[in-house]
Structures are given as structure tokens and as C-alpha cells.
Amino acid sequence: MDKGLLSSSIYEVKDELEERLERCYSVVCGLVNSLSEREANDALNSHVSKGAQQHEEIQLGLLYAILTDPSNAAKNYRDITLVNRDAFSIVLTRLNQLIFEKWLKLKDVGRSQILWLTRELVKNSVVGADAVVNVLMRQIAGGDITPKNVWLAESVLDILTEFRPWLEKYPGLVPVIIYTYLRVIVDHTGQIFTNLRQRESEFAASLLRDKWSECMVIGRDLLRLLQNVARLPEFESLWRDIMLNPSILAPNFTGIQQLLTIRTSRKFQISRLTPDMENKLVFLTTKVKFGQHKRYQDWFQRQYLSTPESQSLRCDLIRYICCVFHPSNELLCSEIIPRWAVIGWLLQTCTSNVAASNAKLSLFYDWIFFDPEKDSIMNIEPAILVMFYSMRSHPAITATLLDFLCRIMNNFCSTHTEQVRSGIHKSLKTILEKRVLPSLQPLFENPKLDKELRALVQLNFTEFISTDAPLKAEDEDGMNKEMTGLDMDEETNHFTVENNLSDAAFSDDEDDVVDRNNHEERGFHPIRDPHRYQSIDITEHLQQLDGDIRDYAMQLQEERSQEDQCESMDHLMQSFVHEAEEYDGDMVAVLALCLCQILIEEFNNNIFPEEVDDESLEESIGTPLFVMLRFLSATPEESPSRAPLFQLLGEMYMKQPRIGYLLLYFLKIGKINDERMQTYRDFVKSLESHYTLESCLVADMKICEEDDIRLFTFLLPDIYSQFTSVCVGNTELLHMVVSTIDGSQLQELICQILQGNLVMFRKESFLKVLNASLEWETLEQYFLWQLITAHNIPLDYMMPILPKLDYHSHAEALTSIMILLKQDCPSSDLLRPILCRECKKNDFFTVSILNYWAQEFEDKLAELIYTQFAKVNSGGGTPSKKRHRPGSNSKKDVPTADQILAHLDHMRQICRNISLLQHASVQLALQQAQQTANDTQKTKFSDLLALAEDMVDLKSMRVLRGLPGRRAAAAAASTSSKTSGKSRKLNEESSSESSSSEEETIKPRAKKRKKTNPVDDDSE
């Protein structure tokens, strides 16, 4: 059986899901090895009956066996059917996860077996098989005719064709199937795809006829896709019926106008981007700042838009941006690249006329039958903005879009010209009403438009054209002032509002339906702090409380003196504890609501003092809220009154999440006997089951960071020391730290680190942190490396990541590692990963550090280079069989001869001082390389290897000069023997040193095999 389910490089951390599946498979193997089929079945059933965990182990173990062992797949599927007790729930969940998250990493065998398993699930009508097919459909990429993608489309088609009756039982799946295949048929136009295209067309046309009512839910985009395939023989009669005889398809279908008025659900737009593609696009539109976007766009284009057939993918991307991703008002006012700029880039880089026309239709498609009562302005906003802001720097884009908009009025559908014109005019009116643009005059009457186009615009948009005298050419500069705010090629934009992505959102189906009584669009609501508690009237709620609790609550509300308020709160807490048994959950919720309203000023004001000392800190917690928290903290853990107090605090926490970090603040400075902050731990345990210590802690610190960065920094040392298992290695929390602090706060944290009060890293999770940080902004990464340097992290911890770092993309990490290496002396453990880096012409990392070491430690570096050559020439130094034991990674960072020679040759070309290459040890290494090199290497590194020949000749000449013939010959022989003797000696020393080093390394590694350690242990 082929070992492993996912493909990964030796530098990547083992995938957690794959590890889990492998462990479960080991359990299954341990149970059934050397047993007969009946005994194996009994053993599996016996293990499953022990509990839910054992049941999950067997299910996942058999799933792994199916996906990696085709020869025994049928047997394993039979076993999984016999022992499963949850209707395949566990199997389907993990299978969907593998397809959705890991498809690109799956080996070919794994992909084939997923299709085989899907076929079996469909064949046996397993509940949930439709979800698996749905997820598989998302992995069929548009604009991609690579063999693997075509194979997937054809394999899924085989399953759907074979089990057509099963498919027709799922009315929710049928539209997704139709939407997908109508889209990919246009990609399969080549001669080699004739067979496949015919099968896809026949299947889609037949299914559309049989299930037209179910497919109508797709809405207007169904017509857009059908237009692209209408001339194929399989669709001609269907298209004719849609246009001329619609009722034959479904009694309730009246024609294309009915379809065009139905807004297409976002789930169909999402289905045409693979999960990986969607993640990249979401990152581009929510994280990348305008002005820093070009390299991300270039990468996206290389990845997905570089082939001729990928031009059709632009339509899917534009529909997704317009209909699915609706940024919040806060995101609109941030420095993040706007939607219109991404669409402008997609249009500008389109090289196919047909694809460009389809892309423009995708952009304006929601304009055609726009209804302000049903459709969202966010769907039409990108088109008008890309025309408006492109006028100054890319007038050709504006011109072609305006021309297209004018022409589709009369040419989109001759029988519905008036409806199309009305829809476009309604779109423009809504744009003006919602103030997306203050005026259309700078767009429609701009002197940069040629006369014919301006005449066409005036003809079609008369009501939007100014009745004043025509604009003169000299007015152009004044008009363009309105357009200078944003530009697709500018380095910055004009927005200065602080960036916060916490409210970035995607439209839901119901979000796009506008309330008839509310004409304000969601994208243009005022910015509000999501954590601020909104003031409400609690008069009626107070009356629902009983006895002393109501009296004290009313006193608390009426008191103005803080001292009196604290006294009332104390009495209230005592009364609540005494009467807690009489209060049900609803009454506790009412009291929590009242307290949140009464204490609203405490929640909405910052409590951390400007000047921090014992007195000011003590004064900051002298308020009623902290009286409540003190009362809770002072209650013994075994006391029965602790539970109702936690219930009350939990209800308040649901309404006012600031309580979380305020409790942490109180436990830090409250001078109570709670060193481990056990009260906070118990409080989190008292919440509902989906709240974990990690999720609550990160969420509370996030709110604290947004409210008061100084308080956030003040709490960090205690958070990391008291919740080590949660915080140390938590990339989300660490990113929060480095993305919000400034220079003074960084200084404060480093002071805490040097005093021993703050530890933010540990070996087990360090590599995970470094990997995550590669996606962070430059300043964030440099702050991180300052913190790493303050911790004195050994270089060995970070060297495993070195070979995977790209010189241009990961400049921050490489620069920081280079500085740390500069401060250390060379060693075998440090040199190996450096030499393992791929040698590139414009990558100067390796050559720079080698050159620096050569100036300071030339002899040592030369010996180390010779040792590396010796290991390569001796087969990697493998005298010990322990080196090859399963799971050993000891050879993963041993450089090849090609890598070493490439770096030395690069050094020869770049550095002026090449004394290192003339060192005796390096010369011996080059001589060995010359003797063992193949023809390719000799050709590739001829200039470098020639240095060794030159040095040998030079030494021989010096020895032979002035000697008679026989003595010269003897001297030459002596020189040769000494050289070869020294070579053998160094080789033996190297081999011995390598062997002993390996033995020392292997012994402790055997102990560590049981640990999950994301940081590779490079102790060799």
C-alpha cells in the first residue's frame, strides 16, 4: 500500500488530519492483523462497542484504508458498513473535509479512491452522499483543462449519469450540477474534448428539460450560461423552447423575463470558485492594502489566469466580487484595495475579445433587470466605480464599458428592450440616490470620451445629461479632480480612517433582499462599535425582579456617589446569593440585563489609569462592577453560591463581552489569593460547551486591544504566564500583539522578557509560529523578530524553515535570520540548511553569509565545506543502520553535491575576495567533486572546478621550478602522494566525525518520536 494520503515537502509540518487518520489506521491494523475475516469483524465490532471514541477510531481507520489501498477498498467498505453506528456521519464529515481543504495536496491514488467511495455512497443511497457530490463539484475549476481537472469533471459525470434516478431525488443538488456543467462545457472546446463535451451537453440538456422547475431557482445567471452554449446541437431545441414555447418546459414558466427578474443565489456564484481560489481572492479583497496589491495580483494571475483557456474564469471572479463579497462600511473606508480596482485589473489584463465581452456582461448583468425593491446596490456599485475611477488613468476601460452599456440596451434581447433600458436607468437612479457618486456628469460628459461615444451616451442617457452648455476641454482638469482620489496604479489612496476588518462580511441570500420599508442599504450604515452596549429602558425589567434584589438594583441605578453605588452592589450580591435558589434562568437574564444597563458607563469608559502606580491601579477598581467581581473571587471554590454568581456573570458576558478582560484585569491587580487566575478558568467552564478557554481568552484580549492597547500590553505578561498552554505558540494572539503595538509598547514587552516575566515562545510550537508569520505585514514581522531576539531563541530552532524561504517574498524573515547568523560562528548544524537552499541568480542570502563567515572564520568554514563534500561523496555517511529507521528525518537537510557546487560557483561569480575557494580544504573538496562529478555537473560547474586544476598546476610549477629532471619527477610524485594522503586523512576524519555525530544524534531522537513536535529537531 502506498504510504501517505497527502503530498508534502520534507520542510512542511505533518498535516494534523492525516496524522489522525494514520493513528486510527494503526489501531485498526493492530486489531485485525493475522485474523480471519470473521474474527476481524468480531474484533472491530467489539472495539466499536466500547464507546464513541473507539467507534470514531475504527471509522476513520477504515476510511484511511479505503483511500490509500485500492486493492482492499471493497473489503474495507464492507467492514465500515458493518460496524458504523452513526449512518456514516463521521466518515462523511472527514471525507468532506478532505475534499474541501486538502484536495490540492491529495495524491492521485487518494483522489481516485475518493471518487470510488463517492460512487459507492451514491450507489447505496447513503444519506449525506449528496453533500459529498456537492463538495466535489466545487473542485471542478473553470478555465482549467489540465488532465486532472478534466478527469474530475468526467468522473463525476460518470457517477451522475449512471445513477441519474438517485440525482433526481435531490432537488437542491440538481441546480448546482446544471450550473457547474453549463459553465465548464465552454472550456471543453478542443478536438480532444469532443466526446466529453457531447456527453456533458446531452446530460445537461436532458436534465434541464426534466427538471426545469428545480433549475429555475438559479435565476438570471442560468440564462447567462445558456447563452454561451445555445448554439451547440444538444441545446438548440431547448433554447428555442425557452424563447418561443416556455410553457412546454414547465407550466409556471412564462419566459426569459421571469428568469431575469430572479436574483441568482450567492451559493451558485461561490460554487464556481474552488475553495483555494476563493481563499486567495478573499485575502486580496480584505487584507491587501491599496498600493501594495501588485505583487499579490501578479501571483494570482500566474496561478490561475496565465493560460489562454483561463480567460473564461474572469467572468466567475467578477460575478463573485459583485454578488458575494459585500464589504462593510468600515472596510470601504479603509486602505484595503476596493472591489472596483480588482475588477479593473481583471478587465485590463484580459487578452481575449470574447472573454472581455463576457466579462463586461458579467459586470453589468445585475443592471439589466435591476429592481431597487429586490436587488442590492452592492451588486451594481463596482461597475459604476470602475468606470468613474478609471477615467483619469485608464480612459480606454471607461470608454469600452460605457460603449458596452449603451449597446446592450438594444442588443441584449430585442423583445425586451424597454425592460432592459428601464433596469439600467433604475440602476443609475439608485446610484445617485444612495450617493455612490454625487453626479454622473464627470463620467457621461468627460472630454476624454470621443465624440461618437459621447453622442451615444447622450442618446441613451438623456435624463442624466446636464441641460447646461456642453463642457469645454479646459474644464477637464477641474472635472478630474473628483477622480484623483483613487487609481488602480497609485501607491496610496485618500482614505485615512483607521483600518479594522472585524466587520468584513459576505452577503447572505436574505441580506440582498431589501426591506420595502427601509431604503437604507446595509453597506452604507454608519460605523458602530460592535462591543458598545446600546442604552435601553429597563423600567419594566426592574419590575420583574423580586424583593430586596429589585430594591438594591433600583438604588444602584439612582445613586450618584460611587461609594454609595459600591455599597448597593455589595448588598445586591449578598441578596442574590441568598435568594439564588428562587431565581430561574429567565430571572437571572433579566437581572443581568439590568446590571449591564446600570453599569453602562463603566463598560464604555477606559478604566486603565494614565499614570500607573499602586494607588492609581487600586483606585481604578473601586467601582460597582469590580465590587461584583471581588465578591465572586472571594467566594470559596467549594461554596454552592459560586455557581449562581457564575451564571449571572455569564448572562452579562453574553450582553457585554468586555467583562472578560475586566475580570482578567481585576485578578491581576485585585490583591486576592488567585495566582493562577482560577476564577477566570472556572468562569469559562461555566459558560456553554462551545466556549473554550482558548477562544474566550483570545476574544477577550481582542476586545481589550481594540479598547485600550496600553491595558492590553499591561495584561500580556500575566496572560502568557498563567495560561501558558493556551497562549504560548498561539499565532492568532501573537499576531494580535505585533499588529497593534508601537515602538514604546514593544520596548515595554522586551523589558518584561529580559526581567523573566514574559515568555512567548517554546520549541514545540516555534516552527508553526514562523510559518504563520510569513503572511504578516513587514512591520509585524520585524516586531516579531525583535521579540524572538529578546528571548535568545537558539538558531537551531529556526534553521528548519530556512530552505523554504523565498529571497523576495520572505525578505523580513531572511534578513532577521541573516543578522542572527552573522553573530554566530559557523557549525555543521548551521551550514547544512544554508547549503540546502535552492541557488538562484538573484538570491544573495547564502553567498552573503558564506562570504562574511569566510572573512571571520575562514579555516573553520573551509573544513566544514570539505566535510559536507565528504559526506556526499561517501553516500551521506550512512554506516549506521539506525539512520534508516522508519520516521527518521536525519537526512532531510543534507545538501546535495549540486547544491554545494552551485553556491560556491555563485560565490565565485559575486564575491571579489575568493580566498575561501583557494583554501586547501576547499581545494581538496573541489578535487573530489571533479573526480566524482558526472558530465552534467562538469559542464555546469566547469569554471569552478577549473580552480582546483589551476591550484594543482600552480603548486606543481612552484615545486618543479629549478629542479633537474629526476628530482623534479620525484618531487612531483611526492607532492601528489602528500595531496592524496591528506585527502584520505581528511576523508577518514570526516567519516569518523560524521559517524560519531550521527550516533550521538540518533540516541536522543528515539526518545522524542512519541512527541508531536512541529519544530524539526536538527541536533545533528
Side-chain angles (χ1 to χ4, degrees), residues 320-458:
Y320 179 92
I321 293 170
C322 290
C323 303
V324 178
F325 177 60
H326 290 177
S328 66
N329 196 41
E330 191 170 5
L331 190 59
L332 287 170
C333 295
S334 72
E335 297 178 357
I336 301 302
I337 182 173
R339 294 191 299 166
W340 64 261
V342 178
I343 291 174
W345 159 67
L346 290 171
L347 294 172
Q348 188 182 1
T349 55
C350 188
T351 57
S352 164
N353 291 332
V354 174
S357 296
N358 289 334
K360 286 180 277 191
L361 181 61
S362 299
L363 181 61
F364 288 115
Y365 208 65
D366 291 303
W367 291 50
I368 295 174
F369 272 66
F370 182 78
D371 183 356
E373 300 296 324
K374 296 180 181 179
D375 294 306
S376 171
I377 191 175
M378 301 299 283
N379 291 6
I380 63 174
E381 177 225 49
I384 195 70
L385 291 183
V386 74
M387 287 192 290
F388 184 79
Y389 287 119
S390 298
M391 180 64 82
R392 186 170 67 89
S393 56
H394 302 283
I397 289 182
T398 302
T400 188
L401 290 177
L402 273 176
D403 180 74
F404 185 85
L405 187 61
C406 292
R407 295 185 187 281
I408 61 171
M409 284 189 179
N410 300 317
N411 300 323
F412 178 74
C413 182
S414 57
T415 58
H416 295 88
T417 301
E418 286 307 314
Q419 291 92 328
V420 173
R421 181 181 298 274
S422 174
I424 293 175
H425 280 220
K426 286 178 183 177
S427 301
L428 293 171
K429 288 177 182 177
T430 306
I431 285 167
L432 292 175
E433 288 172 5
K434 300 298 183 183
R435 306 290 293 173
V436 177
L437 289 182
S439 169
L440 294 175
Q441 185 181 9
L443 182 61
F444 287 168
E445 302 179 57
N446 198 296
K448 285 190 175 182
L449 301 178
D450 61 57
K451 291 182 180 180
E452 291 183 3
L453 180 56
R454 287 170 67 181
L456 187 63
V457 170
Q458 190 166 7

Side-chain angles (χ1 to χ4, degrees), residues 900-923:
I900 301 174
L901 290 171
H903 287 304
L904 292 179
D905 194 44
H906 196 201
M907 190 176 181
R908 177 189 63 80
Q909 298 172 30
I910 299 300
C911 302
R912 296 179 180 178
N913 179 14
I914 57 171
S915 61
L916 175 68
L917 301 181
Q918 298 170 355
H919 193 281
S921 297
V922 176
Q923 284 294 307

Side-chain angles (χ1 to χ4, degrees), residues 749-751 753-754 761 784-793:
L749 290 179
I750 290 179
C751 289
I753 292 169
L754 297 183
F761 307 100
L784 172 67
W785 282 100
Q786 291 284 333
L787 294 172
I788 290 173
T789 306
H791 279 80
N792 286 329
I793 303 291

Side-chain angles (χ1 to χ4, degrees), residues 163-171 174 206-207 210-211 214:
F163 301 103
R164 173 78 172 266
W166 171 87
L167 171 62
E168 293 179 354
K169 295 176 184 177
Y170 293 91
V174 170
S206 170
L207 192 58
D210 294 346
K211 296 294 178 181
E214 287 86 344

Side-chain angles (χ1 to χ4, degrees), residues 11 82 89 136 156 404 474 478 519 721 776 833 835 838 843 902 973:
Y11 304 112
L82 292 174
S89 174
L136 276 172
V156 175
F404 185 85
E474 55 266 24
H519 296 287
S721 61
W776 299 351
L835 294 178
E838 183 182 354
D843 183 342

